[in-house]
Amino acid sequence: MVKYKVKGKEKREGSDFLIDILNLDSQIFEALSQTSDNMYLYIADLERDFSRWSKSSVDYFNMPGEFIENTAQEWVKHIHPQDQHIFLEDMGRIFEGKSNRHNCEYRAMNKYGNYVWVKCQGIVQRGEDGSLGLFVGTMMNLGVNAKFDQPTGLYTFHELKKQLPVFINQGMEGAILLFDVDRLQRINDILGYMVGDEVLQRLGKKCQSLVGVTFYRGQGGKFYCITTEKTMDMVNWIYQQVQKFSVEIPKEMNLEIQLTVSCGVSFFPQDAEDFESLHANVEYALEQAKKVGRGSIARFSGKMHRQTVERFRLQEALREAVANECRGFFLVYQPLINGETQEVYGAETLMRFQLPDGTMVSPMDFIPILEEDGTIRQVGEWLLKKALAQAAVWRQRNPDFVISVNVSYIQMLQAGFREMVTRILERSCTPPDALILELTESCKVSDPNGLRNDFEYFKELGINMALDDFGTEYSSIALLRKLKPQWIKIDHTFVRSIQDDEMDQAILEYIMNLSQQIKIKVCVEGVETTEILSVVKSYKPELLQGYYYSRPCPAEEFSEKYFATVQSQA
């Protein structure tokens, strides 16, 4: 156990790494740091957040001194604001125990006030108990004007910024492609950064073999390509060659992984004539390709640009609405009908949003934005309060009335979700069994065990849990087996043509038989006609829902239909 002093204080290292940061021989430390003119050395005790930096790094980056406390907090000040998340997320994996290596590239400000690209690498040693110990790192100055990327031999992003405007000014026509190695960080985490770096090196060299195109190394796993080809057919050929390389590389390295590369494309000068616009176009096209699925390609278009602008405006409108007590949001209710008695059993709460100019926005458009920027938490809390307040009014006339509220997996992942639901439920004076929480699945469940624990928590409170859209996308038998909900809701897509489709009839019959055997109740959505109702009723589901009974409507209209003398609250 080693002790060392910092500013007159004695600190005790929490592991067995025999090194004294303060008294490390300066000559040795400086000798190591001077092995390259553009290499900087630092060493840190992560647990104590204390570090020592080579004199060359102190000078070049204008650090406050050779010995620094609150290292991360101090160093982040030097990182470009747009790149700070790169450093923090990579270090976060070390502190979370997901990795022992640090490897990322970002821009850091030097003493001249210029941002330069640096490649920051390091390794941490841990104690037997996994505690953080000694961290040794280096930074390689890639420079402001570096022409070639050292690992891959490709031109740098800086060269792309220089060359593309020149090409356009010379009247050149063609396309810019942006490739990104999918899930590169996962490869680094599982197989190590050396493997990840070799993958990129091999890919870079293979890309150089293509004739008539020029490749540039971007950040992380990104590669840019400039071509004078003006047709999507030829662009697709380039994309297919890179995909072929991604298949070859794991085989050459004897890796049992599936390597895929996604691609965004923008043509010039028709899409844009300046670098910044083209770069924004191709970044957005890449984002759209990844939404389609890993290993996909997408071309930027005017329609895509309009959608981008519209999405941005909607995002701003939603943020303003949330900041003003969810102004513009309102609730509608669709009845849940008892399949046997045909009487109202309860209602599903559905959220709507209206822009200040009166334009209605589809939930398919605004809910993903709320989930992405985290404001789904505030809106979800507002919705639950309103829904339970309305349920309390309707339960005055029907004490058995049940209210159903949709929640997404992303909401359930947020810290404090359990406490929020419990607090609002208690304050509403609504019994737990009068609430159904419907899990609406729009994304893959990354932690099914954690979700199961949430389901068990709410079920123990007496709240009914349901799987919505059952049988579609991620809402599957596997999830049913893991979560054991009290309810499942069969998606309307299985019901739409059930009177004529034997396959849909067989699926519904299978789900009903399975549910009865494992004692799970069923609500069938999408009951829109007398013909559909006739077929669905023969399978004896507990609840029915659809336009045949009522479209989603405001609380006032719902009250008039089912509780003529009851006032609404939401």
Side-chain angles (χ1 to χ4, degrees):
M1 196 72 70
V2 178
K3 298 179 181 179
Y4 57 88
K5 294 183 178 179
V6 181
K7 297 182 180 179
K9 299 178 182 178
E10 186 180 78
K11 292 195 175 183
R12 186 175 183 86
E13 193 171 352
S15 58
D16 299 325
F17 304 114
L18 305 179
I19 189 159
D20 187 329
I21 294 177
L22 190 61
N23 297 317
L24 180 66
D25 188 290
S26 295
Q27 291 183 343
I28 297 176
F29 191 76
E30 287 305 316
L32 290 170
S33 67
Q34 292 173 14
T35 55
S36 174
D37 291 337
N38 63 348
M39 186 76 75
Y40 307 98
L41 177 68
Y42 60 94
I43 187 170
D45 178 344
L46 293 182
E47 190 169 345
R48 307 300 182 188
D49 204 4
F50 174 73
S51 60
R52 180 174 185 179
W53 297 67
S54 62
K55 290 180 181 178
S56 58
S57 62
V58 173
D59 175 64
Y60 186 74
F61 292 107
N62 197 27
M63 301 292 284
E66 188 178 349
F67 301 98
I68 298 177
E69 291 187 294
N70 301 319
T71 306
Q73 182 179 345
E74 176 60 38
W75 179 241
V76 165
K77 298 176 185 177
H78 295 261
I79 301 176
H80 193 289
Q82 294 180 1
D83 297 345
Q84 290 176 0
H85 72 282
I86 299 171
F87 171 79
L88 293 173
E89 289 172 5
D90 199 69
M91 289 300 297
R93 281 187 284 273
I94 290 177
F95 281 95
E96 293 168 6
K98 297 179 179 178
S99 176
N100 290 326
R101 288 186 176 274
H102 174 53
N103 188 337
C104 58
E105 295 177 11
Y106 51 82
R107 290 164 289 179
M109 181 177 288
N110 62 19
K111 62 182 178 181
Y112 305 109
N114 298 321
Y115 282 106
V116 296
W117 281 98
V118 296
K119 185 176 183 65
C120 195
Q121 294 178 300
I123 186 168
V124 65
Q125 293 179 313
R126 298 181 184 271
E128 294 181 359
D129 60 353
S131 60
L132 293 169
L134 180 68
F135 180 83
V136 179
T138 61
M139 281 189 294
M140 178 181 290
N141 185 350
L142 302 178
V144 177
N145 300 317
K147 188 170 185 178
F148 294 101
D149 173 64
Q150 294 187 11
T152 63
L154 300 177
Y155 283 115
T156 61
F157 179 73
H158 174 75
E159 282 297 298
L160 174 66
K161 292 179 68 175
K162 283 173 53 180
Q163 294 178 11
L164 184 55
V166 174
F167 297 155
I168 295 174
N169 290 336
Q170 292 174 346
M172 174 178 166
E173 297 181 13
I176 176 172
L177 292 76
L178 173 54
F179 296 94
D180 191 19
V181 178
D182 299 315
R183 304 180 73 189
L184 176 63
Q185 188 57 57
R186 183 159 179 79
I187 294 174
N188 290 336
D189 288 343
I190 296 175
L191 302 177
Y193 283 98
M194 293 182 65
V195 173
D197 286 346
E198 186 176 349
V199 167
L200 296 179
Q201 290 168 7
R202 287 175 179 263
L203 183 58
K205 290 180 180 178
K206 287 177 178 290
C207 288
Q208 284 180 305
S209 69
L210 294 178
V211 179
V213 295
T214 306
F215 278 84
Y216 304 78
R217 172 75 191 281
Q219 184 181 332
K222 291 183 177 179
F223 295 81
Y224 296 83
C225 174
I226 299 295
T227 176
T228 55
E229 298 295 344
K230 293 175 284 187
T231 66
M232 198 61 196
D233 286 343
M234 289 306 299
V235 166
N236 276 321
W237 181 85
I238 298 170
Y239 161 73
Q240 289 164 6
Q241 296 307 302
V242 176
Q243 289 289 21
K244 185 181 74 172
F245 297 155
S246 71
V247 173
E248 294 171 351
I249 290 172
K251 295 178 180 178
E252 295 169 357
M253 297 176 64
N254 294 318
L255 300 176
E256 294 183 359
I257 61 171
Q258 182 181 13
L259 190 66
T260 58
V261 180
S262 298
C263 180
V265 183
S266 183
F267 285 87
F268 58 86
Q270 56 263 51
D271 290 343
E273 297 184 24
D274 63 280
F275 176 82
E276 295 301 331
S277 297
L278 278 169
H279 186 251
N281 290 352
V282 79
E283 284 276 9
Y284 186 75
L286 175 64
E287 181 183 335
Q288 298 308 304
K290 286 181 174 286
K291 287 183 178 179
V292 173
R294 290 193 296 272
S296 299
I297 183 172
R299 174 185 175 178
F300 182 84
S301 64
K303 180 180 178 182
M304 186 181 290
H305 175 69
R306 290 191 295 274
Q307 290 174 339
T308 304
V309 173
E310 291 172 1
R311 181 180 173 84
F312 174 78
R313 289 175 177 169
L314 176 57
Q315 189 172 31
E316 290 303 305
L318 288 168
R319 287 175 178 170
E320 184 176 353
V322 173
N324 288 277
E325 299 181 344
C326 295
R327 184 180 62 197
F329 289 97
F330 63 95
L331 303 183
V332 292
Y333 302 86
Q334 188 170 34
L336 302 174
I337 303 299
N338 186 305
E340 182 177 356
T341 66
Q342 293 294 289
E343 296 178 349
V344 65
Y345 176 87
E348 178 180 359
T349 310
L350 300 166
M351 185 164 57
R352 299 291 185 260
F353 180 67
Q354 187 174 31
L355 292 169
D357 64 3
T359 303
M360 295 297 301
V361 182
S362 168
M364 298 294 289
D365 293 328
F366 71 77
I367 288 180
I369 294 176
L370 295 176
E371 291 180 339
E372 286 174 14
D373 65 16
T375 49
I376 190 68
R377 181 190 184 103
Q378 297 97 304
V379 177
E381 185 169 348
W382 171 86
L383 184 154
L384 186 60
K385 287 178 182 177
K386 290 287 187 180
L388 287 176
Q390 184 61 65
V393 174
W394 285 333
R395 284 175 61 83
Q396 294 175 8
R397 288 297 301 272
N398 180 358
D400 296 325
F401 190 87
V402 171
I403 196 77
S404 179
V405 173
N406 294 313
V407 295
S408 70
Y409 177 53
I410 292 174
Q411 283 178 269
M412 297 188 75
L413 283 176
Q414 292 178 326
F417 179 78
R418 293 182 182 182
E419 293 76 11
M420 181 270 288
V421 173
T422 305
R423 181 182 69 254
I424 294 175
L425 187 63
E426 290 175 348
R427 291 178 180 176
S428 72
C429 298
T430 303
D433 61 359
L435 173 63
I436 300 176
L437 291 181
E438 294 185 28
L439 179 66
T440 57
E441 265 316 293
S442 58
C443 64
K444 187 175 181 179
V445 174
S446 59
D447 181 14
N449 290 330
L451 184 59
R452 179 184 60 191
N453 292 338
D454 287 333
F455 264 55
E456 290 302 320
Y457 172 83
F458 289 122
K459 287 195 292 184
E460 287 178 7
L461 288 180
I463 296 173
N464 289 281
M465 301 302 293
L467 279 183
D468 196 13
D469 306 324
F470 187 77
T472 65
E473 295 194 18
Y474 300 107
S475 189
S476 64
I477 295 291
L479 208 54
L480 177 69
R481 183 172 177 271
K482 175 73 71 171
L483 301 180
K484 297 180 174 62
Q486 293 104 321
W487 287 89
I488 58 173
K489 299 190 73 175
I490 297 178
D491 189 69
H492 64 88
T493 55
F494 290 109
V495 178
R496 188 179 298 140
S497 56
I498 195 167
Q499 66 267 36
D500 303 313
D501 194 317
E502 294 182 358
M503 176 66 76
D504 285 344
Q505 292 177 16
I507 291 173
L508 181 58
E509 182 176 6
Y510 167 76
I511 294 175
M512 290 302 307
N513 290 337
L514 173 65
S515 300
Q516 290 170 4
Q517 291 177 24
I518 58 180
K519 295 181 173 57
I520 290 179
K521 299 175 182 178
V522 175
C523 175
V524 178
E525 299 177 304
V527 179
E528 299 184 359
T529 65
T530 303
E531 291 76 18
I532 292 176
L533 175 62
S534 177
V535 175
V536 169
K537 279 185 66 177
S538 67
Y539 297 105
K540 298 182 178 179
E542 282 78 8
L543 294 179
L544 300 170
Q545 181 179 356
Y547 288 177
Y548 174 81
Y549 298 103
S550 173
R551 290 176 176 270
C553 59
E556 294 82 359
E557 184 178 337
F558 191 98
S559 297
E560 291 175 3
K561 286 183 177 181
Y562 302 104
F563 306 102
T565 60
V566 178
Q567 295 180 348
S568 63
Q569 294 294 312

